[in-house]
Amino acid sequence: MNSVPVIPDNAPFSTEQRAWLNGFLAGVLNRGSAAAVSSPQKAATPLLIAFGSQSGNAESLAKRLAREASGRGFAARAAGLDSLQPADLIKEQNVLLITSTWGEGDMPDNAVSFWDSLNQNGSSPKLDGVQYSILALGDKNYGDTFCLAGKKLDTRLAELGAKRIVDRVDCDVEFDELAKKWSTNAFTVLSGDSAAASAAFVAPAEEADAEEADAEEADAGYSKKRPFPAKLIANVPLNSRGSSKDTRHIAFSLAGSDLTYEVGDALGVFVQNCPEVVDAVIAAHAFDPQAVVALPDGGSAPLREALIKHYEVRSLYGKSEEASLSLAVFVENLRKLQPRLYSIASSIKKHENEVHLCIAAVRYSTDGVAHKGVASTFLADRLPLEETTGIYFHAANHFRLPADLTRPVIMVGPGTGIAPFRAFLEEREATQASGKNWLFFGDQKRASDFLYHDQIIDWVQRGHLTRLDTAFSRDQEEKIYVQTRMLQAAAELWQWLEEGAHFYVCGDAKRMAKDVDDALHSIIQTAGGKTAEEAAAYVNQMKKEKRYARDVY
């Protein structure tokens, strides 16, 4: 069965022209008769697929679904919420919205301005006539804030009069299957076709989607579904004697993979649970470690192997459960062990066929029970040099260096937040970017916790790093943090912003990123002479111009 052709993105047409042509071709080819060609074509149904994205998942999904919708005959387009106002929804009429949740139930960065506009007292437009549905992306580990951004948007759109055509779907980390069901339902409702017409039209499209997905997978080579077995080639402690931390420089070889990446991207790493932790869990439940159990993606394996390689166990460790719990029920309630994403700490232009990470090994005790970060201790302690583990690259289109090499860059990255900025500075050096570079770095003690000290100081001495401000919180009685240094340099920081500097933040989302954001607003007010409202508008404009980006976790 022939699939419906789609006008490629690089064809010499506007977005609107491509959408119309896609709809026209889909209509003609799916009617299956020459008579249909001579008949007036029904106007393609407009469809906006909007996204609120922090790490790129919602964005990539929205763009993929927009291509699929165009193949189904819609005049579809994908757009970030930072490019939209609530009034735009009225013009579009049909809106599918995909959003992640950031931090403690907050909107992702590119959705903040849109959300604020939806909640302006007295000025939020009525959305009568707008048809919508929401797909919320999240992580159940966040408890009450799971998918909260999507839930809030769903409630608010309905309050403003929009009609929900398909119930909101809340997705955990593995979202592909649920996203597919949600989009198929939404496309079917919006198409307005009869059941017979839907069967004749939707089925071929789904077959085409599967073929296209297989083709994309083959073209892409290694991916999350088919990770590259990368060899660990470096595991170097970055802290020295006297530190309370264990931070590692980790490097993998990409030799033989044909893989590449851009600075700002993340590396997905497939990890395993600690065997000691797994043995403790099995013993606590008095299970047989060799009992055969089902695996999350099909097949089966002995319980011990399944818990080490395939299931999450960290939430179970140390918890008291009834011994009466059956093995089948126990396994049924386990979550699939997910790969972990880490900010890349290198430029491939400097380190050919390599990718580097900067990782803090997590170890702590609560109520007398020792805990280990699954991924961090796997990389620090349990993966030997020259051994392999699966990796893949995760594009972070929201976290990119300016294309204009003359633009100034301000980077705020305490602790392991230094990772992408080491990559940025290596990239700026390799591309001979003439723009100024300013780094704010902080940790506990200068003597033991100044990560990548020699490389950073060399950049300063050679003038590549125009300005370096450090904040070592425990080197003096008063705690000093990166936001403290920002406020102390308010006048110059404001001058850089006015020169068009791009402002980046990487690191802890719960406290640091919020404190840095507060400091940025304060600087714009004091050094820039703005009111609080004007400062907020200035920051929102920076976000729209892609000049304020955060990689936070």
Side-chain angles (χ1 to χ4, degrees):
M1 190 174 292
N2 293 329
S3 62
V4 179
V6 177
I7 302 297
D9 291 344
N10 60 358
F13 301 106
S14 69
T15 302
E16 291 75 15
Q17 288 170 330
R18 280 201 310 274
W20 188 91
L21 286 167
N22 284 329
F24 176 82
L25 289 171
V28 169
L29 295 177
N30 279 292
R31 283 181 174 85
S33 70
V37 178
S38 60
S39 303
Q41 295 299 313
K42 178 183 176 182
T45 302
L47 176 60
L48 169 65
I49 303 182
F51 58 86
S53 188
Q54 191 71 33
S55 66
N57 283 331
E59 179 179 1
S60 59
L61 179 58
K63 290 178 177 178
R64 176 163 61 83
L65 291 181
R67 292 194 298 269
E68 180 184 338
S70 295
R72 289 173 176 261
F74 291 95
R77 71 183 182 100
L81 286 173
D82 54 348
S83 68
L84 301 171
Q85 292 294 323
D88 294 325
L89 306 190
I90 302 171
K91 300 174 189 174
E92 301 286 348
Q93 295 185 323
N94 303 313
V95 181
L96 300 182
L97 198 156
I98 305 170
T99 186
S100 60
T101 296
W102 176 78
E104 300 298 306
D106 300 322
M107 294 290 159
D109 281 349
N110 80 323
V112 172
S113 179
F114 181 84
W115 173 247
D116 290 344
S117 298
L118 279 181
N119 290 279
Q120 290 177 352
N121 292 331
S123 61
S124 297
K126 289 293 183 183
L127 300 181
D128 299 332
V130 174
Q131 301 188 103
Y132 81 97
S133 183
I134 287 181
L135 182 75
L137 307 184
D139 185 337
K140 286 184 177 177
N141 284 325
Y142 285 86
D144 292 341
T145 63
F146 171 62
C147 287
L148 187 55
K151 294 173 182 176
K152 291 191 290 191
L153 280 166
D154 190 20
T155 299
R156 186 57 178 156
L157 292 178
E159 288 174 349
L160 293 173
K163 178 185 176 184
R164 185 185 300 110
I165 56 167
V166 173
D167 287 343
R168 185 190 73 250
V169 172
D170 298 334
C171 300
D172 200 1
V173 180
E174 287 284 311
F175 57 81
D176 288 343
E177 185 177 343
L178 284 174
K180 179 64 179 175
K181 291 179 180 177
W182 170 79
S183 61
T184 299
N185 288 341
F187 293 155
T188 301
V189 173
L190 289 170
S191 69
D193 290 338
S194 66
S198 293
F201 180 63
V202 175
E206 286 176 346
E207 290 178 20
D209 292 341
E211 292 171 5
E212 182 182 352
D214 290 342
E216 286 181 356
E217 187 77 12
D219 291 341
Y222 295 105
S223 64
K224 184 177 180 180
K225 292 183 179 179
R226 182 173 171 251
F228 172 66
K231 184 183 295 184
L232 180 68
I233 56 175
N235 179 348
V236 181
L238 291 175
N239 305 99
S240 56
R241 183 178 298 177
S243 176
S244 63
K245 297 187 174 184
D246 180 8
T247 311
R248 304 293 181 97
H249 172 78
I250 299 290
F252 288 102
S253 171
L254 301 177
S257 71
D258 290 327
L259 287 171
T260 189
Y261 59 89
E262 293 187 49
V263 293
D265 285 348
L267 184 73
V269 183
F270 282 79
V271 299
Q272 296 182 15
N273 288 303
C274 175
E276 293 176 2
V277 172
V278 168
D279 290 340
V281 170
I282 292 174
H285 293 278
F287 290 143
D288 176 2
Q290 297 306 312
V292 176
V293 298
L295 298 178
D297 292 325
S300 60
L303 175 63
R304 187 173 189 269
E305 178 186 340
L307 294 185
I308 290 174
K309 297 180 180 179
H310 300 281
Y311 286 110
E312 295 275 8
V313 298
R314 58 182 177 174
S315 60
L316 302 171
Y317 186 47
K319 284 190 174 181
S320 59
E321 300 280 359
E322 296 183 23
S324 61
L325 185 67
S326 72
L327 178 58
V329 172
F330 174 82
V331 173
E332 215 173 78
N333 286 283
L334 295 177
R335 301 178 70 206
K336 180 181 176 181
L337 181 61
Q338 296 292 334
R340 284 2 186 220
L341 287 175
Y342 287 101
S343 303
I344 292 174
S346 56
S347 166
I348 202 164
K349 292 182 175 67
K350 182 174 177 63
H351 307 279
E352 186 178 4
N353 275 332
E354 293 183 10
V355 60
H356 299 177
L357 305 176
C358 178
I359 293 173
V362 177
R363 302 182 184 90
Y364 62 95
S365 296
T366 54
D367 300 325
V369 177
H371 294 266
K372 301 177 180 180
V374 174
S376 63
T377 58
F378 171 74
L379 292 171
D381 304 336
R382 300 193 299 278
L383 182 65
L385 286 172
E386 302 301 309
E387 290 295 318
T388 65
T389 193
I391 67 165
Y392 65 96
F393 289 107
H394 178 84
N397 295 322
H398 73 290
F399 205 74
R400 292 279 184 254
L401 280 169
D404 182 352
L405 301 183
T406 68
R407 283 291 185 102
V409 168
I410 303 169
M411 300 160 282
V412 183
T416 55
I418 189 64
F421 303 138
R422 177 181 186 258
F424 278 17
L425 287 163
E426 288 186 345
E427 182 86 0
R428 299 267 280 183
E429 187 174 38
T431 57
Q432 298 182 332
S434 60
K436 298 182 293 185
N437 302 305
W438 187 348
L439 174 65
F440 289 88
F441 174 74
D443 214 312
Q444 292 186 349
K445 300 176 181 179
R446 176 182 290 271
S448 59
D449 303 315
F450 197 155
L451 310 182
Y452 299 108
H453 171 274
D454 292 349
Q455 188 175 20
I456 290 172
I457 295 303
D458 179 62
W459 280 329
V460 173
Q461 292 174 346
R462 290 192 289 107
H464 177 54
L465 185 51
T466 313
R467 178 165 177 171
L468 170 66
D469 284 75
T470 58
F472 294 99
S473 60
R474 300 191 182 179
D475 277 350
Q476 60 285 311
E477 197 169 314
E478 178 189 1
K479 294 289 179 66
I480 293 177
Y481 301 105
V482 286
Q483 62 268 23
T484 313
R485 297 303 191 202
M486 285 174 56
L487 293 168
Q488 291 171 348
E492 186 171 354
L493 199 150
W494 168 249
Q495 182 182 339
W496 281 46
L497 292 179
E498 284 290 272
E499 292 171 2
H502 286 230
F503 185 83
Y504 301 92
V505 184
C506 181
D508 171 58
K510 290 185 178 180
R511 295 186 58 181
M512 184 278 297
K514 292 182 179 180
D515 290 342
V516 166
D517 188 70
D518 289 343
L520 179 62
H521 280 75
S522 178
I523 288 166
I524 295 169
Q525 289 181 65
T526 56
K530 308 284 188 184
T531 65
E533 292 75 18
E534 290 170 338
Y538 189 98
V539 170
N540 283 335
Q541 187 60 31
M542 286 177 64
K543 291 178 179 178
K544 287 182 179 179
E545 296 171 358
K546 312 297 184 186
R547 289 176 51 214
Y548 182 12
R550 299 193 287 186
D551 177 14
V552 293
Y553 38 83

